[in-house]
PDB file of all heavy atoms in Angstrom:
ATOM      1  N   THR E  96     135.647  58.968 -26.682  1.00 96.00           N
ATOM      2  CA  THR E  96     135.871  60.348 -27.242  1.00 96.00           C
ATOM      3  C   THR E  96     136.889  61.143 -26.466  1.00 96.00           C
ATOM      4  O   THR E  96     137.354  62.188 -26.957  1.00 96.00           O
ATOM      5  CB  THR E  96     134.552  61.125 -27.303  1.00 96.00           C
ATOM      6  OG1 THR E  96     134.032  61.255 -25.965  1.00 96.00           O
ATOM      7  CG2 THR E  96     133.527  60.404 -28.163  1.00 96.00           C
ATOM      8  N   ALA E 138     133.749  52.838  -9.141  1.00 98.00           N
ATOM      9  CA  ALA E 138     135.103  53.249  -8.710  1.00 98.00           C
ATOM     10  C   ALA E 138     135.348  54.692  -9.015  1.00 98.00           C
ATOM     11  O   ALA E 138     135.996  55.385  -8.234  1.00 98.00           O
ATOM     12  CB  ALA E 138     136.128  52.360  -9.426  1.00 98.00           C
ATOM     13  N   LEU E 151     130.415  68.224  -4.614  1.00 98.00           N
ATOM     14  CA  LEU E 151     129.865  66.884  -4.573  1.00 98.00           C
ATOM     15  C   LEU E 151     128.968  66.745  -3.365  1.00 98.00           C
ATOM     16  O   LEU E 151     129.367  67.029  -2.220  1.00 98.00           O
ATOM     17  CB  LEU E 151     130.961  65.827  -4.536  1.00 98.00           C
ATOM     18  CG  LEU E 151     130.515  64.397  -4.624  1.00 98.00           C
ATOM     19  CD1 LEU E 151     129.881  64.076  -5.970  1.00 98.00           C
ATOM     20  CD2 LEU E 151     131.709  63.428  -4.403  1.00 98.00           C
ATOM     21  N   ASN E 255     140.794  55.318   3.033  1.00 97.00           N
ATOM     22  CA  ASN E 255     140.388  56.704   2.884  1.00 97.00           C
ATOM     23  C   ASN E 255     138.913  56.965   3.158  1.00 97.00           C
ATOM     24  O   ASN E 255     138.391  57.974   2.679  1.00 97.00           O
ATOM     25  CB  ASN E 255     140.776  57.208   1.438  1.00 97.00           C
ATOM     26  CG  ASN E 255     142.224  57.328   1.228  1.00 97.00           C
ATOM     27  OD1 ASN E 255     142.855  58.310   1.629  1.00 97.00           O
ATOM     28  ND2 ASN E 255     142.821  56.327   0.537  1.00 97.00           N
ATOM     29  N   GLN E 342     109.730  62.066   0.336  1.00 96.00           N
ATOM     30  CA  GLN E 342     109.551  61.066   1.369  1.00 96.00           C
ATOM     31  C   GLN E 342     109.203  59.722   0.719  1.00 96.00           C
ATOM     32  O   GLN E 342     108.068  59.298   0.673  1.00 96.00           O
ATOM     33  CB  GLN E 342     108.449  61.470   2.357  1.00 96.00           C
ATOM     34  CG  GLN E 342     108.794  62.764   3.088  1.00 96.00           C
ATOM     35  CD  GLN E 342     110.085  62.638   3.874  1.00 96.00           C
ATOM     36  OE1 GLN E 342     110.175  61.864   4.887  1.00 96.00           O
ATOM     37  NE2 GLN E 342     111.128  63.378   3.516  1.00 96.00           N
ATOM     38  N   GLU E 358     112.809  32.920   1.038  1.00 97.00           N
ATOM     39  CA  GLU E 358     111.488  33.557   1.183  1.00 97.00           C
ATOM     40  C   GLU E 358     111.185  34.451  -0.065  1.00 97.00           C
ATOM     41  O   GLU E 358     110.013  34.711  -0.371  1.00 97.00           O
ATOM     42  CB  GLU E 358     111.481  34.457   2.410  1.00 97.00           C
ATOM     43  CG  GLU E 358     111.109  33.727   3.649  1.00 97.00           C
ATOM     44  CD  GLU E 358     110.873  34.720   4.823  1.00 97.00           C
ATOM     45  OE1 GLU E 358     111.256  35.884   4.713  1.00 97.00           O
ATOM     46  OE2 GLU E 358     110.294  34.237   5.812  1.00 97.00           O
ATOM     47  N   LYS E 360     111.732  37.783  -0.575  1.00 98.00           N
ATOM     48  CA  LYS E 360     111.055  39.008  -0.213  1.00 98.00           C
ATOM     49  C   LYS E 360     112.057  40.074   0.196  1.00 98.00           C
ATOM     50  O   LYS E 360     113.170  39.725   0.656  1.00 98.00           O
ATOM     51  CB  LYS E 360     110.098  38.793   1.023  1.00 98.00           C
ATOM     52  CG  LYS E 360     108.982  37.797   0.767  1.00 98.00           C
ATOM     53  CD  LYS E 360     107.974  38.348  -0.209  1.00 98.00           C
ATOM     54  CE  LYS E 360     106.790  37.406  -0.367  1.00 98.00           C
ATOM     55  NZ  LYS E 360     105.830  37.927  -1.398  1.00 98.00           N
ATOM     56  N   GLY E 480     136.005  27.483  -0.193  1.00 98.00           N
ATOM     57  CA  GLY E 480     134.754  27.099   0.469  1.00 98.00           C
ATOM     58  C   GLY E 480     133.545  27.606  -0.297  1.00 98.00           C
ATOM     59  O   GLY E 480     133.624  28.630  -0.949  1.00 98.00           O
ATOM     60  N   LEU E 554     149.820  26.691  -7.978  1.00 97.00           N
ATOM     61  CA  LEU E 554     150.738  25.656  -8.578  1.00 97.00           C
ATOM     62  C   LEU E 554     151.341  24.766  -7.475  1.00 97.00           C
ATOM     63  O   LEU E 554     152.026  23.796  -7.791  1.00 97.00           O
ATOM     64  CB  LEU E 554     151.816  26.331  -9.340  1.00 97.00           C
ATOM     65  CG  LEU E 554     151.345  27.414 -10.392  1.00 97.00           C
ATOM     66  CD1 LEU E 554     152.540  27.970 -11.131  1.00 97.00           C
ATOM     67  CD2 LEU E 554     150.361  26.791 -11.327  1.00 97.00           C
TER      68      LEU E 554
END
Side-chain angles (χ1 to χ4, degrees):
T96 61
L151 184 65
N255 290 281
Q342 297 302 293
E358 275 190 343
K360 298 291 184 183
L554 309 183

